Structures are given as C-alpha cells and as structure tokens.
C-alpha cells in the first residue's frame, strides 16, 4: 500500500545509549557457535589494532595505495565486519548504489510507495544518505552499531504530497558526515534500504561516501541504465562485489520499450563473464513519472516482491549475511597480505636509509678514534704546552739523539715541582674538540647527501638542512671532554690510593699524572713521520715510564685502556645524538626487523580460516 507521505527531519545527534540494539544472543544450546563468534570478534579486534598501528612514513612508490588500502580496511572493519560479527541477527542493510542519473532515488521512492529521497535533474542529487527501516528495527540503526563515524539525524514522515524533487534536501553543510534515519512501515522488517550518493559523482565527498556505504552493506541494489551499464566505474565496484561474494541485485533502469530482452541478455552475459552469474537482474522500462515524480508500483513490483521474500525468510537472510561476511573477511585477509608486503618494503627502505646514516657516523667515530691514538693530537698547541709542562723543549730535542739516559732524566724530573697542568688540559680540550666537531660535521654532510640521493630520504628531509650540526654541539663536545678529563683524574686518584708510595704520586700531583695519562693515550705514533715520530715517540716513552715508575707496567696499560675506552664511548654518544636527528625521522622503520610483519602474516592466515567458517555465521 502506498502512503502519500513526505520526509522531514530534526538535525540532532542520537545518543547511542538512547536506543540500544537488541542483544544478539546465540541459542543457549549452541555453545560452539557462541564460542566461535567470540573468537571471531577477538581476532577481528586484533586485526583492527594492527591496522590502526600501521604507519608508512617513507614516500616509496605505491605508498599512497598502501595508505588508502589500510584506511579502507580499517573503515570496513568499523562500518561492517565487526558490527556484523557482533550482531549476526541484525536486519540486512541493502545499499542502493549506482551511476549518476541512474534513478536510484526514484527507485527507492517507488519501493516504499511515496517520496522520501531527492530526485531531479541537478547533479549530484543525493547529498545526504537516507536509511529507511521498519519501525520495529529502529534500535539496530539509531545506535552507532554500523557506520559509527556518521552523525545520526532523526527523520520522520509527514502526511503531505511533497514532490519527490524536494524530498530529502539536506538542511546544512553536514550532509557528507550525517545519516538521516527514517522509520517507515512501508519498508519490510529485517531489511533496511540506504540511498547512497553516486559512485561516479563529480563530488569527491560523494564518491568517498558512496564507497563507504557500499562497503558497509550486506547486499547491494545496484542501479544502472540501458545506456550506462557498461561504464567502467560501476563495473569496478561490481567486480569488487564479486570478489567478496556479496549478494547483488542489478536494476537495469530506463530500458526503451522493445529493447528489454536484448539489453538484459547482453548485461546478463557480462555478469556471467565477470563472476556475477548469481546476481538478480531486474528490468525497469522507461516510462513517464506521475505528478509527484513517482514510478507506478507495477514498474518495481518484482523488486518489491524479492525484498519481501528476503524479509520473510530468516534462513535466507542468514545465508546472505554468511556469504557477504565471509567474503568480506577473505577480502580483508587479501588486503592485510598486501599491507604486509608494503610494511616489508618500508622496513627495507628504512633500513637502507638508517644504514647510510650509521655508516657515515661510524666512519666519523673511526676517524676520531684513530686521531686520538696515533699521535695526531700531539701537534701544535698540545705539544707546546706538554713541553712546557715537563720542562723545556731541549728535553725532547735531546731524545732525538737517543734515549739511553732516560732513567736519569726521569729521576731529575721528580726532583722539582712540575708546573701546573691546566694549560695542557686546556690545549687537549681545544684540540680534541676541533677533531670531534670536524668529523661530526663531515658525517652529517655525508648522511644528508646520501639521503638526498634517495627519493624516500628526500621526502623525509623536506626543506630541512641536516648537513649542519646542531648549534649547541660544540658546547656539548667541550662538556664531554671536560667530563672525560675529570674521569681520567679520578682513575689516577683511585689507582694511587692503593699504592704504598703515595708520597711520590701525591708530590707530582693528581692532575699532573692525569695529563701524563692523557698524553700516553694520544701518543701512539701511527701516522706520524720525520721529526714528529721522535717527538711523539719520546713523549710516549716519557709519559709511560713516568707512570710505570709510580703504578707499575700492568696498571699503566690498564689505565690507558680504560681512559681510551671511556673517550671512545663519550665520542660515540656525541655522534649518536647527531645521528638521531636523521634516525628519528624514520620512526619504527629504522629498526633491524619489524615484528608487525610477522603479526600481519599470522593474522592473514587466521582471517583466511575465519572467512571459510560459514557454518558459524
């Protein structure tokens, strides 16, 4: 029976607690099905958590597809898969979709027998999706059980002959984020109709919303026309439906009189070839609308009968849910498999970028370590201050002619009070700082160049210039050097405290011996030539003999080793902080392995099993 009603609404949010859906309790004697449902929901929630945690920070080829795939999978979990698994006996959601101007809204109006949605010549027409349901099914849809991101708007029918061209006009700009709910007794119970925007709309928002609504459907009523049924965009969606085993009814609209059989046969052949042989095909002939923009009831009678049959057949509805749900879960498994591959690609690219950075700074660390052990530092100011510290330059020049009288020189060395070691420490700090800053700057420049030669690295750097060191880096280096010098002095103090001959090392001075130990660390002669070898070699021998005379040979080797190890560790820490300016941009993809890959692969296998569990749905 047709009702001469029109649609109006109240634009207000529906509190999810105001109208809760009935509990979906499996039969008490079917514990196995109940446990399977609980297990399935738990698995799907794990999948959702993994999807929500996915991140694709690197601008690799295909990354946008991976991001959109992840977003689509997450959206379908929220909009359909999880709600449906939690509520297996909820009414079917039949989404009416199709191409621009195919007559979707006119069809919906005809199916309920009165204008409820907007139809007309101006495109796009369906600016706000309208969900029609039987009043007894209201609780299933007034909550946010399905399509939770869409704001609920109350719609209601009023007795007025409002033309279809004005019914359903959106009252404000929130149309794309809201869903109009209309309880209409003309809709058979157990089946709800949702009028969706055009799948090929000129509006990006319309197309996105149409895809979201179709992904949330248990079954599709896909409307096309006699001259548009072969269009590419609708078929892309239909092929997706075939891959997910969704129940689809094709409504071939506006078929010219006399051409029904020929066009229907051609479309049927296309459906068979593309894996949609089981789709219902309904033909609506082209005919004039009445004064209210309505098709005569007879034009859609076969469709109304088909929906009524579904409404009356609970086992048939369960079979539709089973097919669509399992097919959608299998499709989700395929998406996760694709995303797992994308994560691996990100990880491999991230590891390469991280390796480039680490290699640049590892080279810098090696150069610093060499410079602090091969005598390089014992030049210029450091060497001059050391000579002042131990006496005169003549002392070391004499060593060039031979070191046979070393013992006498060392004995003379202890007779007087040595000059303060402060100037040597300052010179060491200055020279060491210059080496570390220079090598760190080379590493940063090298890392920056390596990243800029890689598309993913360029994308991460953007307009930032990381080839320059942090402004406070020189001060950080100076602080670490002073801390190391203090640590060396502490090593000397701790070693001297265990010796009986404390008078000897105390008379020389803890700081003085600390300076001697630093020089021993720096004065191995690799890399020096000519006169420098004699000078640095003499320096090493003098310093080492002085310390051995006080602490013993084994203790000196241990002290030098510990001091060098501490210096290398502090330099590594300084370089690591500069290195982290690069690595922090990589996020989790800088690691050696991503456990998420294994998690995704395991979930793919579990979803594949779940997608075949038709008996539990």
């Amino acid at each position: 029976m047709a009702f001469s009603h029109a649609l109006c609404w109240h634009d207000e949010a529906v509190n999810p607690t105001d109208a809760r859906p009935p509990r979906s309790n499996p039969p008490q004697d079917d514990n196995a099905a109940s446990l399977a449902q609980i297990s399935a929901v738990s698995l799907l929630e794990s999948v959702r958590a993994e999807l929500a945690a996915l991140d694709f920070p690197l601008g690799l080829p295909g990354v946008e597809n991976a991001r959109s795939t992840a977003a689509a999978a997450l959206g379908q979990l929220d909009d359909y898969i999880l709600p449906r698994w939690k509520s297996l006996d909820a009414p079917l959601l039949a989404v009416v979709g199709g191409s621009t101007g195919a007559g979707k809204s006119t069809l919906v109006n005809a199916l309920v027998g009165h204008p409820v949605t907007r139809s007309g010549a101006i495109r796009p027409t369906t600016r706000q999706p309208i969900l029609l349901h039987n009043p007894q099914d209201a609780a299933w849809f007034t909550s946010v059980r399905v399509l939770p991101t869409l704001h609920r708007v109350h719609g209601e029918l009023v007795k007025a002959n409002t033309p279809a061209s004005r019914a359903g006009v959106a009252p404000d700009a929130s149309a794309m984020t809201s869903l109009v709910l209309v309880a209409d007794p003309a809709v058979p119970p157990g089946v709800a109709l949702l009028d969706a925007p055009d799948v090929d709309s000129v509006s990006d928002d319309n197309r996105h919303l149409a895809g979201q609504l179709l992904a949330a459907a248990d079954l599709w009523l896909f409307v096309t026309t006699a001259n548009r049924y072969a269009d590419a965009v609708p078929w892309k969606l239909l092929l997706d439906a075939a891959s997910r085993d969704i129940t689809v009814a094709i409504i071939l609209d506006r078929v010219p009189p006399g051409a029904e059989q020929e066009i229907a046969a051609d479309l049927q052949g296309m459906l068979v070839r593309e894996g949609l042989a089981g789709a219902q095909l309904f033909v609506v002939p082209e005919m004039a609308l009445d004064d209210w923009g309505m098709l005569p009831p007879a034009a859609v009678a076969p469709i109304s009968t088909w929906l009524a049959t579904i409404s009356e057949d609970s086992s048939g509805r369960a079979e539709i849910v089973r097919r669509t749900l399992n097919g959608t879960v299998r499709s989700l498994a395929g998406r996760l498999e694709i995303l797992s591959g994308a994560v691996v690609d990100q990880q491999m690219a991230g590891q390469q970028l991280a390796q480039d950075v680490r290699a640049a700074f590892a080279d810098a660390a090696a150069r610093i370590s060499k410079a602090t052990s091969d005598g390089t530092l014992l030049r210029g100011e450091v060497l001059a201050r050391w000579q002042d510290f131990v006496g005169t330059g003549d002392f070391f020049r004499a060593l060039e002619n031979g070191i046979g009288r070393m013992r006498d020189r060392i004995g003379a060395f202890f007779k007087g009070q040595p000059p303060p070691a402060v100037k040597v420490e300052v010179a060491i700090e200055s020279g060491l700082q210059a080496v570390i800053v220079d090598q760190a700057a080379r590493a940063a420049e090298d890392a920056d160049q390596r990243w800029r030669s890689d598309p993913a690295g360029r994308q991460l750097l953007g307009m930032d210039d990381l080839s320059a060191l942090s402004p406070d880096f020189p001060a950080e280096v100076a602080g670490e050097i002073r801390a190391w010098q203090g640590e060396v002095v502490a090593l000397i103090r701790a070693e001297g405290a265990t010796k009986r001959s404390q008078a000897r090392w105390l008379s020389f001075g803890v700081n003085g011996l600390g300076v001697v130990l630093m020089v021993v660390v720096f004065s191995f002669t690799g890399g020096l030539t000519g006169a420098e070898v004699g000078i640095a070699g003499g320096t090493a021998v003098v310093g080492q003999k002085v310390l051995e005379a006080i602490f013993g040979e084994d203790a000196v080797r241990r002290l030098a080793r510990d001091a060098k190890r501490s210096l290398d560790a502090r330099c590594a820490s300084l370089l690591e902080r500069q290195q982290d300016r690069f690595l922090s941009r990589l996020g989790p993809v800088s690691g050696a392995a991503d456990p998420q890959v294994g998690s995704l692969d395991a979930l793919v296998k579990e979803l594949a099993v779940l997608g075949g569990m038709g008996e539990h749905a």
Side-chain angles (χ1 to χ4, degrees):
M1 179 177 179
F3 296 87
S4 185
H5 289 173
L7 175 67
C8 67
W9 57 82
H10 306 292
D11 187 8
E12 57 185 36
V14 177
N15 188 329
T17 61
D18 292 343
R20 298 184 184 275
R23 289 186 177 274
S24 179
N25 292 323
Q28 294 299 317
D29 59 350
D30 196 357
N31 292 329
S34 177
L35 290 175
Q37 184 178 9
I38 294 171
S39 176
V41 171
S42 177
L43 168 60
L44 292 168
E45 287 176 341
S46 296
V47 172
R48 192 200 182 286
E50 289 291 334
L51 283 171
L54 280 180
D55 184 25
F56 301 99
L58 303 183
L60 303 179
V63 70
E64 290 304 325
N65 288 336
R67 290 167 181 164
S68 62
T69 297
L74 191 59
Q76 192 165 50
L77 269 169
D78 289 340
D79 289 343
Y80 178 70
I81 299 177
L82 274 168
R84 176 49 79 186
W85 259 109
K86 292 176 181 178
S87 307
L88 294 173
D89 54 349
L92 297 182
L93 181 60
V95 174
V96 183
S99 303
T100 301
K104 300 183 299 298
S105 297
T106 301
L107 174 71
V108 172
N109 291 336
L111 289 174
V112 297
H114 48 267
V116 288
T117 66
R118 183 186 188 208
S119 61
I122 300 176
R123 308 295 175 202
T125 51
T126 305
R127 299 180 182 277
Q128 190 168 25
I130 298 175
L131 193 152
L132 298 161
H133 57 81
N134 189 276
Q136 71 184 53
D137 294 333
W140 291 107
F141 301 107
T142 52
S143 71
V144 290
R145 183 186 65 88
V146 294
L147 298 167
T149 61
L150 296 182
H151 169 75
R152 264 50 173 180
V153 176
H154 285 297
E156 59 185 42
L157 297 171
V158 295
K159 291 184 178 181
N161 291 329
T162 303
S165 62
R166 294 303 302 163
V169 178
D172 55 38
S174 66
M176 292 300 102
T177 60
S178 59
L179 179 66
V180 177
L181 303 175
V182 180
D184 191 337
V187 179
V191 180
L193 296 175
L194 200 164
D195 187 20
D198 303 329
V199 297
D200 56 356
S201 172
V202 296
S203 165
D204 291 340
D205 290 339
N206 265 19
R207 290 197 307 275
H208 176 78
L209 182 57
Q212 180 185 2
L213 299 179
L214 287 167
D218 292 299
L219 62 95
W220 290 6
L221 296 179
F222 206 84
V223 187
T224 187
T225 62
N227 61 352
R228 299 283 305 275
Y229 67 85
D231 286 359
V233 174
W235 272 101
K236 182 179 179 181
L237 290 169
L238 288 172
L239 292 176
D240 180 61
S243 70
R244 291 189 280 135
D245 210 16
I246 294 176
T247 301
V248 180
I250 307 295
I251 293 91
L252 185 58
D253 196 14
R254 298 175 181 170
V255 180
E260 292 93 342
Q261 290 186 355
E262 178 183 358
I263 295 177
D266 186 49
L267 177 54
Q268 186 68 60
M270 294 178 68
L271 292 171
V272 171
R273 289 192 298 273
E274 301 297 347
L276 287 164
Q280 293 284 333
L281 177 59
F282 299 100
V283 177
V284 179
E286 186 173 13
M287 60 185 64
L289 305 179
D290 64 18
D291 293 341
W292 307 112
M294 297 288 296
L295 284 169
V300 296
I303 307 172
S304 297
T305 301
W306 180 69
L307 289 173
T309 301
I310 293 175
S311 169
E312 296 165 1
D313 183 6
S314 59
S315 63
R317 293 199 305 275
E319 173 63 15
I320 290 173
V321 168
R322 183 197 67 79
R323 286 184 54 194
T324 301
L325 188 55
N326 289 349
T328 304
V329 168
R330 289 194 298 272
S331 175
L332 179 63
R335 284 176 166 173
L336 252 65
E337 192 168 11
I338 293 172
L339 292 172
S340 178
V343 170
V344 170
D345 291 342
Q346 290 273 317
Q347 195 68 29
M348 292 179 64
Q351 287 173 6
Q352 182 59 56
L353 290 172
Q355 182 179 335
D356 288 343
V357 172
R358 293 190 177 105
F361 282 91
D363 289 345
R367 291 191 295 267
I368 293 171
S369 181
K370 182 180 179 181
T372 54
S373 61
D374 67 357
T376 300
L377 277 171
L378 294 180
R379 300 177 180 180
E381 186 69 17
V382 175
L383 184 56
R385 298 287 74 78
W386 169 249
Q387 291 172 337
D388 292 342
F389 176 56
V390 297
T392 68
D394 293 335
F395 176 82
F396 285 97
R397 283 191 289 273
L399 293 177
E400 293 181 51
N401 298 321
I403 57 173
R405 292 172 292 173
M406 179 62 66
R407 184 172 300 174
D408 293 337
R409 293 289 186 181
I410 293 174
F413 184 74
F414 283 107
K415 291 180 180 178
Q417 181 69 25
V422 174
K423 290 184 179 181
V424 185
E425 288 183 308
V426 172
I428 288 175
E429 178 186 333
S430 177
L432 188 52
Q433 181 187 36
V435 169
I436 296 172
V437 170
D438 178 61
Q439 296 301 331
R442 287 177 57 185
E445 185 174 357
D446 185 17
D448 185 86
Q449 289 177 349
R450 294 191 192 197
W451 273 30
R452 292 198 183 279
S453 66
D454 186 293
R458 285 198 302 273
Q459 180 258 331
L460 285 176
L461 289 174
M463 300 300 293
D464 296 338
D465 180 11
L466 297 189
S467 65
L469 297 172
S470 301
D472 56 351
F473 184 67
E476 290 182 14
V477 173
E480 285 290 345
I481 294 172
R482 287 191 293 271
W484 174 73
Q485 291 174 326
E487 187 176 348
V488 170
V489 171
L491 287 173
I492 292 293
R493 181 179 290 109
E495 189 67 28
T498 64
K499 303 299 179 181
R500 294 181 179 178
S501 56
Q502 290 190 27
R504 175 172 288 185
W505 70 268
L506 286 175
S507 65
F508 188 84
V510 176
N511 287 346
L513 290 176
V515 165
V516 174
L517 180 56
M518 294 176 208
V519 170
V520 169
V521 169
F522 296 151
S523 61
F524 295 101
T525 60
L528 299 182
T529 60
E532 291 177 329
V533 173
I535 296 173
T539 301
V541 172
V542 169
Q544 186 169 336
K545 293 300 180 179
V546 166
L547 293 177
E548 287 177 359
I550 299 175
F551 301 119
E553 184 177 344
D554 291 341
V556 171
R557 283 198 297 267
R558 174 169 44 79
L559 287 170
R561 184 178 60 248
D562 290 347
K564 182 63 167 66
R565 185 183 296 124
S566 173
L567 178 59
D568 287 345
R570 290 179 182 276
C571 291
S573 177
L574 286 165
L575 293 175
E576 184 176 342
R577 291 200 284 274
Q578 293 303 304
Q579 176 180 277
D580 285 346
R581 297 184 303 135
F582 292 86
L583 298 183
S584 62
R585 300 188 176 220
L586 286 170
V589 296
S590 65
D594 190 348
Q596 193 169 40
V597 174
S599 298
L600 288 173
D601 290 343
L603 291 173
V604 167
K605 295 177 182 179
E606 293 186 67
L607 287 175
V609 173
L610 179 63
M613 294 173 59
E615 67 272 17
H616 296 304

